[in-house]
Amino acid sequence: MAQAAPVTAGTTRAGRTPDVFSERTHAVAKYAVPIVLGLIYGYWAAANTRYGGPITGWNLLFGFVTAFVFAAVWMALAAVTPRLSRELHAALWASFTGIAVGFLYSLSGRGHSILGSAGMGVAFAVVVGGVLFYRYYTHEDAEGHRIR
């Protein structure tokens, strides 16, 4: 009779770490995370545009529109990128991060030029792209199937 492989703490028999969250929690998080991050991003963008002045209706509208666009793009990327190759997957998320950071940097009111904002966005995109590519490269096989 074959002996079963021992199960160590934090792993399952298949060698994968167990999922501590239920399917319902994952379903809620699929929408809650981009919405909450979008609201934070929208608030940040609106705060940057008012430069410490009073909150106006246009400022609120700008914040909510920015939050909506951020959350919509996040959800679109989350739906599309898992089907792509790891290079394109990492590149799209890196581009999203770079654009988001560059936009906030341009709104900060410190007299930043377009080149300065683009440079800041590119710097963040390069770092995020490198980290994500490494993560996807080490967690997928050659065909793009997750192995961990």
Side-chain angles (χ1 to χ4, degrees):
M1 177 174 220
Q3 186 176 359
V7 178
T8 59
T11 63
T12 62
R13 290 201 188 276
R16 299 182 68 176
T17 56
D19 194 353
V20 296
F21 297 114
S22 67
E23 290 296 322
R24 182 173 183 267
T25 304
H26 283 286
V28 169
K30 180 179 178 180
Y31 297 103
V33 168
I35 290 171
V36 169
L37 290 178
L39 288 171
I40 292 169
Y41 187 82
Y43 172 76
W44 195 343
N48 280 353
T49 59
R50 61 186 179 91
Y51 308 116
I55 297 173
T56 64
W58 290 112
N59 187 251
L60 284 173
L61 179 65
F62 178 76
F64 281 115
V65 168
T66 304
F68 176 78
V69 170
F70 183 92
V73 173
W74 179 293
M75 287 184 206
L77 283 175
V80 171
T81 55
R83 296 184 206 117
L84 302 174
S85 67
R86 58 182 154 226
E87 295 85 4
L88 193 52
H89 189 168
L92 284 175
W93 279 109
S95 298
F96 174 69
T97 303
I99 291 167
V101 168
F103 180 66
L104 284 180
Y105 189 73
S106 72
L107 295 176
S108 66
R110 303 264 189 237
H112 302 297
S113 68
I114 295 296
L115 288 177
S117 298
M120 182 66 73
V122 168
F124 271 83
V126 167
V127 171
V128 169
V131 169
L132 289 178
F133 177 75
Y134 175 77
R135 190 215 183 265
Y136 300 143
Y137 187 79
T138 59
H139 288 77
E140 294 178 355
D141 62 11
E143 287 82 33
H145 304 107
R146 291 185 180 170
I147 55 174
R148 293 184 206 188

